[in-house]
Amino acid sequence: MPEKVKILTTKQVTHDVISFITEKPTGYKFKPGQATMVAVDKEGFRDEKRPFTFTSLNKDPHLEFIIKIYDDHNGVTRELGKTGFGNYLLIEEAWGAISYKGPGVFLAGGAGVTPFISIFRNLREQEKLEGNKLIFGNKTEKDIILKKEFQEMLGDNFVNIL
Ligand SMILES: Cc1cc2nc3c(=O)[nH]c(=O)nc-3n(C[C@H](O)[C@H](O)[C@H](O)COP(=O)(O)OP(=O)(O)OC[C@H]3O[C@@H](n4cnc5c(N)ncnc54)[C@H](O)[C@@H]3O)c2cc1C
């Protein structure tokens, strides 16, 4: 059964990427790197489920999703771009096999970085970031998601490729 969660805030992360902070159902748990199916709770969109990754941590009182909006086609992310405070999302259980297996080099392109956001935020909490490196590919400088936060977390081990 999908759970209905209210959007509490949205924040522009880059020109086409938005952070959605939502309520968290009681007892809801996920592993850093996991995703869930998300639908917009609006007429015509409730059955249009798309996978998005949690970027918050289990200890947070809310959930966060960081989502790239594709405005050029008539999909769910375009609708998400028109969705904000007070609207609801429908989420399912957490799933996905991406998880931290120990220090290493992480490779990501664009919004593909989202599993590493919660993995690195979790390692920061545990003071275990050392020995990890992120190589992050984007089209242009303005497309880099959470540049400042990655720089703070990883220092020289945050490598951007444009
Ligand atoms: C496990 C997993 C986790 C993910 N986590 C995240 C995340 O955290 N953040 C994130 O931003 N993304 C994430 N994604 C990607 C995200 O799921 C997709 O970007 C999203 O599903 C796109 O949905 P959409 O409805 O907007 O577009 P689509 O489902 O691609 O397309 C909707 C409609 O538009 C058509 N269409 C598709 N492309 C074009 C085009 N170029 N021009 C014209 N029409 C087109 C399609 O045929 C379809 O009818 C994840 C994906 C997976 C598999």
Side-chain angles (χ1 to χ4, degrees):
M1 262 301 274
E3 298 256 17
K4 197 169 153 170
V5 291
K6 188 176 180 177
I7 298 173
L8 304 174
T9 14
T10 59
K11 198 172 84 189
Q12 205 72 35
V13 176
T14 71
H15 64 104
D16 60 1
V17 174
I18 299 175
S19 150
F20 294 83
I21 304 266
T22 75
E23 292 172 335
K24 180 162 82 170
T26 312
Y28 193 90
K29 290 251 181 311
F30 58 89
K31 293 200 190 99
Q34 281 191 317
T36 186
M37 299 307 287
V38 177
V40 181
D41 186 31
K42 289 185 190 168
E43 201 59 42
F45 284 94
R46 292 188 183 97
D47 293 328
E48 295 291 329
K49 302 171 192 173
R50 301 289 188 273
F52 294 106
T53 306
F54 304 100
T55 51
S56 47
L57 300 177
N58 274 313
K59 73 169 185 70
D60 296 335
H62 55 255
L63 298 174
E64 183 190 39
F65 299 96
I66 292 183
I67 296 179
K68 179 166 175 182
I69 308 298
Y70 294 94
D71 246 338
D72 60 342
H73 65 273
N74 191 19
V76 170
T77 59
R78 188 164 84 173
E79 191 58 30
L80 278 164
K82 299 187 247 163
T83 301
F85 171 74
N87 291 128
Y88 287 82
L89 301 179
L90 301 167
I91 65 164
E92 300 190 346
E93 75 283 0
W95 55 270
I98 299 177
S99 67
Y100 186 64
K101 305 255 171 31
V105 179
F106 292 74
L107 306 175
V113 80
T114 55
F116 307 150
I117 296 174
S118 75
I119 285 175
F120 286 141
R121 284 177 171 173
N122 191 45
L123 290 173
R124 177 176 58 191
E125 279 296 305
Q126 302 173 355
E127 297 183 18
K128 285 186 180 162
L129 275 168
E130 209 177 310
N132 288 294
K133 183 175 194 149
L134 173 62
I135 300 179
F136 193 12
N138 283 285
K139 278 189 208 149
T140 67
E141 178 90 28
K142 72 180 176 38
D143 298 309
I144 303 173
I145 294 171
L146 300 185
K147 185 178 181 200
K148 191 163 172 275
E149 185 174 340
F150 281 127
Q151 244 153 12
E152 280 164 10
M153 288 198 283
L154 299 168
D156 289 346
N157 284 325
F158 177 45
V159 178
N160 285 285
I161 295 173
L162 301 176

